Amino acid sequence: MRRAMNLTRVMRLASRAKRFAQSQLHAHWRGEPIRQGTVLYESFSGNGVLCNPEAIFRQLLATPDMGQLNHIWVLSDLKQYGRTVAEFSGAPNVTFVRHGSPSYHRALATSEFLVNNSTFPPQFSKRPGQTYLNTWHGTPLKRMGYDIDGGARGTANIVRNFVAADYLLAANPFMAEQMYEKGYKLSGIFTGLIIEEGYPRIDRQALDGAGVFAGRARLTDAGIPLGDRTIVLYAPTWKGASFARPNDDIDQLLDHVARITARIDTSKYVVLLKTHQIVHARAASRPDLTRLLVPNDMPTNVVLGLAGVLITDYSSIFFDFLCTGRPIVFFAPDLDEYEGTRGLYFAPENWPGPVCRTMEELTIELARTLLTGGLPAESAARYRAAQLEFCGRNDGGASARIVDIVFRGNVGAHHVRSVASSAHRSILVYLGGMQPNGITTSALNLLNNIDHTRFDVSAFFAQSAVPAAIANQNAIHPAVRQFARVGGMNGSARDQLARRLHYYFGRISQHQGQATQKRLWDDEWARCFGDSRFDYVIDFSGYGPFWSALLLHSPEAIRSIWLHNDLASDAHRTVRGRKRMLRSLTQNFTLYEQYDHLVSVSQSLSQINSRKLAHYAEPAKFTFAPNTANATHVLVAGAQDLRETARDTLTGITPAWVDDILADDDITTFVSVGRLSPEKNQARLIRAFGLVHAQTPATRLVLVGEGVLRGALEALIKKLGLEGAVTLTGVQQNPYAILAASDCFVLSSDYEGQPMVILEALVLGLPIVTVDFESVQNALPIGFGLVVPQTDAGLAAGLRTFLSGQVRSGAFDHGAYTRLAVDQFYRAIGAET
């Protein structure tokens, strides 16, 4: 066991050392001049000289006035693709680099033109002087990006690449509008151009006699016994939960090919298998596929040009094959499941060919197609309609037009346009750490309540693998564009050390002053957001100096930072003998003068922060915007069965305290929800409750939350003999069901901003007793609840007042409150309605 742990540790250190070396190489080359006339091509992360980049590359080689260009191809393995490397061994202006190698980082950082059909890695950031063309790799039948249920999480590096591109290539208007503008939410944010001049790779399908001969010879050389038989190409897409982890369905594909082959005349036809890029390596390792597997380094569109019939499922390959005019037969045995999970843009009844659900149906339709040389009338009509919609400009000259646009700059002579611009003003909101806390809840509520018909909203946060953070990411309003930060900041070790020393010695406010530091931060902004621009930039967290400084490097915008609490007190809060937030918050304070608005979450809190932080910013910058509540969510969650929401998912056991709360007895339940930390002062609440419980035993106290003081609070409960009357529930997935089952909400904090839980308790109709913290006058709406002194005796008196029936809940108009709060938010950020 110890040896295995040591080996794991060594491997982890080796991996970190490798990443560090790569980052330093990348940083070094990013400081070198751009090499004019150099073009870098990458397809599927180096998985061959393929797709649109390959077609553009060959067009450039054949274009007389482009002879000055030098071409660099990225390959994952130069030996594996030795045939391709050998093809250009005599061309002095064509070189190859291995993906991830030092040469790769040099080419990525210094090439003038960048051409990719997928995405460059997270550390990529386009430099001034570089031109980036992203071609993508097909018109989608499968839903993409935000159009997939829960698909936003998978868009991080894709959207990052798209917004950095100067040109996006669309095979047809549908791809431009549905995939780029809607599916990846580029409408209103992408500042580059979309090219609608057809797909270069489809040019490769138009084979003359020599091309057909060469293509068939290539297949024969790969061990496929073609003879003079017509090719029936079976080209299914990948299956699985994610692109990074596709299913291993090679046995199933092999069975499909065998069963198709058994039902056709093999003296005239041969069935070949073309797998998706991400599963080809598995297929290629199988000896039983040698005689039918299309080589991965052979351009797919050349194979399509050779094929007489295409059999596919949901693959975008059929859009390319439409341009040949040859028959397509769809085989989709898992159609219901696939449509219900991934989703499709077009219903099967609109597909340009017969749709078969069983192997029997497929062999019948294929036999009919091979016999007649075409499709039945009903399928033929759909085929012609699809050709008109998707093949309009694929006339064999797309590659030449792309060269004219990107490399000669002749934009006006072609179908090139900007993305549909939004008349809405744009807002970027940094959400914070996305952990389950009041700030995250408040941020998600705000995103739900902003008027998305008037504002284009983007959210910014760090991509996380923590389940709670993922759950909160999935809860972001669907109209909101997500910029999930992946990868890390570029820059040399020296520059990164200087950045950290600036933070350590309290000089982070100088991030704009020194040229090297400014470039470091500017590059990180560009890495995260490309060429995107926003009217309003908001740090809604307000607790992280790194994020606060980064947002100040946006292009010109009105910038606001949130102050969720009495931050001067927060900075000096002691936890286990340490002021853990003193350095980070003090650093943030020094950035305040560079923000336009300092937004507290209540008017009284704004006055507190303005007074205590006057050294850092002028009074006019301090303003306020109350938190908003998601009343619908709170009410729905509050109505859920507490026995189910509190049940342990592993053991299936419901805690005993749930039955106590739900019991039909005369015991009054006081409840408080919050982090178990010093400023929440649950100890005072426990002591006050103890005074009340001694006189009124038919009472209980439930504390929902977790934190560093749990042990101390448990000890206090035991010391006071309250083990049977006070419950610490820990973190609960649905605290609203606990609130709804309780009788009175109690808050005992030393200081607060505007506690979200007070709003949530009001929405649920709970009476409230709270101590008189400094900003309480705005945290609790006038006419609601009872405010008592911040003492054990004062809080105990408040609990007794509730027990005597003198604290009532009242009717809280959460709709009117939310409208006022949102209007105040617009005013606070400078976007007055």
Side-chain angles (χ1 to χ4, degrees), residues 387-407:
Q387 281 185 308
L388 290 173
E389 183 173 2
F390 302 113
C391 299
R393 298 195 179 101
N394 287 302
D395 55 3
S399 300
R401 294 191 292 272
I402 302 307
V403 166
D404 196 38
I405 294 165
V406 177
F407 294 88

Side-chain angles (χ1 to χ4, degrees), residues 243-322:
F243 191 81
R245 293 181 298 277
N247 292 344
D248 185 354
D249 58 355
I250 302 303
D251 286 333
Q252 184 183 59
L253 299 182
L254 185 60
D255 177 65
H256 290 167
V257 172
R259 294 172 69 182
I260 296 169
T261 300
R263 299 290 294 271
I264 64 174
D265 183 349
T266 55
S267 68
K268 296 180 179 179
Y269 305 100
V270 58
V271 181
L272 302 187
L273 174 64
K274 173 60 183 174
T275 58
H276 193 279
Q277 297 289 327
I278 61 172
V279 297
H280 182 83
R282 292 175 181 168
S285 67
R286 297 282 296 267
D288 45 354
L289 288 176
T290 302
R291 294 169 62 84
L292 56 91
L293 183 65
V294 175
N296 195 54
D297 60 354
M298 185 172 181
T300 299
N301 293 83
V302 171
V303 183
L304 292 179
L306 298 172
V309 178
L310 173 67
I311 302 172
T312 188
D313 47 12
Y314 321 104
S315 173
S316 65
I317 199 172
F318 88 81
F319 288 102
D320 290 19
F321 196 71
L322 272 173

Side-chain angles (χ1 to χ4, degrees), residues 523-547:
D523 283 353
E524 178 61 7
W525 172 272
R527 193 186 71 83
C528 293
F529 301 103
D531 296 322
S532 305
R533 302 184 70 90
F534 305 93
D535 296 310
Y536 309 98
V537 172
I538 298 170
D539 179 356
F540 193 81
S541 168
Y543 278 91
F546 173 87
W547 305 95

